Coordinates of all heavy atoms in Angstrom, one line a residue:
G1 N -187.2 42.5 100.9 CA -188.1 41.3 101.0 C -189.6 41.6 100.5 O -190.3 40.7 100.6
Y2 N -189.7 42.8 100.0 CA -191.0 43.2 99.5 C -190.8 43.8 98.1 O -189.7 44.3 97.7 CB -191.7 44.3 100.3 CG -192.2 43.7 101.6 CD1 -191.3 43.8 102.7 CD2 -193.5 43.4 101.8 CE1 -191.7 43.3 104.0 CE2 -193.9 42.8 103.1 CZ -193.0 42.8 104.1 OH -193.4 42.4 105.4
E3 N -191.8 43.7 97.2 CA -191.7 44.3 95.8 C -193.0 45.0 95.5 O -194.1 44.7 96.0 CB -191.4 43.2 94.8 CG -192.5 42.1 94.7 CD -192.2 41.1 93.6 OE1 -191.4 41.3 92.8 OE2 -192.9 40.1 93.6
L4 N -192.9 46.0 94.6 CA -194.0 46.8 94.2 C -194.8 46.1 93.2 O -194.4 45.7 92.1 CB -193.5 48.2 93.7 CG -194.5 49.3 93.6 CD1 -195.0 49.7 94.9 CD2 -194.0 50.5 92.9
K5 N -196.1 45.9 93.5 CA -197.1 45.2 92.6 C -198.4 45.9 92.6 O -198.8 46.7 93.6 CB -197.3 43.9 93.1 CG -196.3 42.9 92.8 CD -196.8 41.4 92.6 CE -195.8 40.5 92.0 NZ -195.8 39.2 92.6
Y6 N -199.1 45.9 91.5 CA -200.4 46.6 91.2 C -201.5 45.6 91.6 O -201.6 44.6 91.0 CB -200.6 47.2 89.8 CG -201.8 47.9 89.7 CD1 -201.9 49.2 90.2 CD2 -202.9 47.3 89.1 CE1 -203.1 50.0 90.0 CE2 -204.1 48.1 88.9 CZ -204.1 49.4 89.4 OH -205.2 50.1 89.2
T7 N -202.0 45.7 92.8 CA -203.1 44.8 93.2 C -204.3 45.6 93.7 O -204.2 46.6 94.4 CB -202.6 43.9 94.4 OG1 -202.1 44.8 95.5 CG2 -201.5 43.0 94.0
S8 N -205.5 45.0 93.5 CA -206.8 45.6 93.9 C -206.8 47.1 93.8 O -207.2 47.8 94.6 CB -207.1 45.1 95.4 OG -206.2 45.5 96.3
G9 N -206.5 47.5 92.5 CA -206.7 48.9 92.2 C -205.7 50.0 92.6 O -205.8 51.1 92.5
R10 N -204.6 49.4 93.3 CA -203.4 50.4 93.7 C -202.1 49.7 93.7 O -202.0 48.5 93.8 CB -203.9 51.1 94.9 CG -204.0 50.2 96.2 CD -204.8 50.9 97.2 NE -204.6 50.2 98.5 CZ -204.1 50.7 99.5 NH1 -203.4 51.9 99.6 NH2 -203.9 49.9 100.7
Y11 N -201.1 50.5 93.8 CA -199.7 50.0 94.0 C -199.4 49.6 95.5 O -199.7 50.4 96.3 CB -198.6 50.9 93.4 CG -198.6 51.0 91.9 CD1 -199.5 51.9 91.2 CD2 -197.8 50.1 91.2 CE1 -199.5 51.9 89.9 CE2 -197.7 50.2 89.9 CZ -198.6 51.1 89.2 OH -198.6 51.1 87.8
N12 N -198.9 48.4 95.7 CA -198.7 48.0 97.2 C -197.3 47.3 97.2 O -196.8 46.7 96.1 CB -199.7 47.1 97.7 CG -200.9 47.9 98.2 OD1 -200.8 48.8 98.8 ND2 -202.0 47.3 97.9
C13 N -196.6 47.4 98.4 CA -195.4 46.6 98.6 C -195.9 45.3 99.0 O -196.5 45.2 100.2 CB -194.5 47.2 99.5 SG -193.7 48.8 98.9
V14 N -195.6 44.2 98.3 CA -196.1 42.8 98.6 C -194.9 42.0 98.9 O -193.9 42.1 98.3 CB -196.9 42.3 97.3 CG1 -197.3 40.9 97.6 CG2 -198.1 43.3 97.0
D15 N -195.2 41.1 99.8 CA -194.1 40.1 100.3 C -193.6 39.4 99.2 O -194.4 38.8 98.4 CB -194.6 39.3 101.5 CG -193.6 38.2 101.8 OD1 -192.5 38.5 102.2 OD2 -194.0 37.0 101.8
V16 N -192.2 39.2 99.0 CA -191.7 38.4 98.0 C -191.6 37.0 98.7 O -191.1 36.8 99.7 CB -190.3 38.7 97.6 CG1 -189.6 37.9 96.6 CG2 -190.3 40.1 96.9
N17 N -192.1 36.0 98.0 CA -192.0 34.6 98.4 C -190.7 33.9 97.9 O -190.7 33.4 96.8 CB -193.2 33.7 98.1 CG -193.2 32.4 98.6 OD1 -192.2 31.8 99.0 ND2 -194.4 31.8 98.9
E18 N -189.7 34.0 98.7 CA -188.3 33.6 98.4 C -188.3 32.2 98.0 O -187.5 31.6 97.2 CB -187.3 34.1 99.5 CG -187.0 35.5 99.7 CD -188.0 36.2 100.6 OE1 -189.0 35.4 101.0 OE2 -187.8 37.3 100.9
C19 N -189.2 31.4 98.7 CA -189.3 29.9 98.5 C -189.7 29.6 97.0 O -189.2 28.7 96.4 CB -190.1 29.2 99.4 SG -189.7 29.6 101.2
V20 N -190.6 30.4 96.5 CA -191.1 30.1 95.2 C -190.2 30.8 94.1 O -190.0 30.2 93.2 CB -192.6 30.8 95.2 CG1 -193.2 30.8 93.6 CG2 -193.5 30.0 96.0
T21 N -189.7 32.0 94.4 CA -188.9 32.7 93.4 C -187.3 32.0 93.4 O -186.6 32.4 92.6 CB -188.7 34.1 93.8 OG1 -188.2 34.4 95.1 CG2 -190.0 34.9 93.5
N22 N -187.2 31.0 94.3 CA -185.9 30.4 94.5 C -184.7 31.5 94.8 O -183.6 31.2 94.4 CB -185.6 29.6 93.2 CG -185.1 28.1 93.5 OD1 -185.1 27.7 94.7 ND2 -184.8 27.4 92.6
T23 N -185.1 32.4 95.5 CA -184.0 33.4 95.8 C -183.5 33.1 97.4 O -182.8 33.9 97.9 CB -184.5 34.8 95.7 OG1 -185.7 35.0 96.4 CG2 -184.5 35.2 94.3
H24 N -183.9 32.1 97.9 CA -183.6 31.7 99.3 C -182.1 31.0 99.3 O -181.7 30.7 98.2 CB -184.5 30.7 100.0 CG -184.6 29.4 99.2 ND1 -183.8 28.4 99.5 CD2 -185.5 29.0 98.2 CE1 -184.1 27.3 98.7 NE2 -185.3 27.7 97.9
R25 N -181.4 31.0 100.5 CA -180.2 30.3 100.5 C -180.2 29.1 101.4 O -179.2 28.9 102.0 CB -179.1 31.3 101.0 CG -179.0 32.5 100.2 CD -178.0 33.5 100.8 NE -178.2 33.9 102.2 CZ -179.2 34.7 102.6 NH1 -179.9 35.3 101.7 NH2 -179.4 35.0 103.8
C26 N -181.2 28.4 101.4 CA -181.5 27.2 102.3 C -180.5 26.0 101.7 O -180.4 26.0 100.5 CB -182.8 26.7 102.2 SG -184.0 27.8 103.2
N27 N -180.2 25.2 102.6 CA -179.4 24.0 102.3 C -180.1 23.0 101.4 O -181.4 23.0 101.4 CB -178.9 23.3 103.5 CG -177.9 22.2 103.3 OD1 -178.3 21.1 103.0 ND2 -176.6 22.5 103.5
L28 N -179.5 22.3 100.6 CA -180.2 21.3 99.8 C -181.1 20.3 100.6 O -182.0 19.8 100.2 CB -179.0 20.5 99.1 CG -179.5 19.6 97.9 CD1 -179.9 20.4 96.7 CD2 -178.3 18.7 97.4
H29 N -180.6 20.0 101.9 CA -181.4 19.1 102.8 C -182.2 20.0 103.8 O -182.4 19.6 105.0 CB -180.3 18.3 103.5 CG -179.4 17.5 102.5 ND1 -179.9 16.5 101.8 CD2 -178.2 17.6 102.3 CE1 -179.0 16.0 101.0 NE2 -177.9 16.7 101.3
A30 N -182.7 21.1 103.3 CA -183.5 21.9 104.2 C -184.7 22.3 103.5 O -184.9 22.3 102.3 CB -182.8 23.1 104.6
E31 N -185.8 22.6 104.3 CA -187.1 23.2 103.8 C -187.1 24.7 103.9 O -186.7 25.2 104.8 CB -188.2 22.7 104.5 CG -188.7 21.2 104.1 CD -189.7 20.8 105.2 OE1 -190.8 21.3 105.1 OE2 -189.6 19.8 105.9
C32 N -187.6 25.4 102.9 CA -187.7 26.8 103.0 C -189.1 27.2 103.4 O -190.2 26.6 102.9 CB -187.4 27.3 101.5 SG -187.7 29.1 101.4
L33 N -189.2 28.1 104.3 CA -190.5 28.6 104.9 C -190.6 30.1 104.6 O -189.7 30.9 105.2 CB -190.6 28.3 106.4 CG -190.5 26.8 106.7 CD1 -190.1 26.7 108.2 CD2 -191.7 25.9 106.5
N34 N -191.6 30.5 103.9 CA -191.7 32.0 103.6 C -192.3 32.7 104.9 O -193.1 32.3 105.6 CB -192.6 32.2 102.4 CG -192.7 33.7 102.0 OD1 -191.7 34.4 101.8 ND2 -194.0 34.2 101.9
T35 N -191.7 33.9 105.2 CA -192.2 34.7 106.2 C -192.4 36.1 105.7 O -191.9 36.4 104.5 CB -191.2 34.8 107.4 OG1 -190.0 35.5 107.0 CG2 -191.0 33.5 108.1

C-alpha cells in the first residue's frame, strides 16, 4: 500500500492512493475512499 518516492530531498515510502491509480476493487456502484 506504499511506494518508494523521492520527496523533499530523500527517499520515503509514500501512501499509494488506490482510488486515483484505479487499483481498488470497489463495486461500480460504490465510492472509493483512500486510507
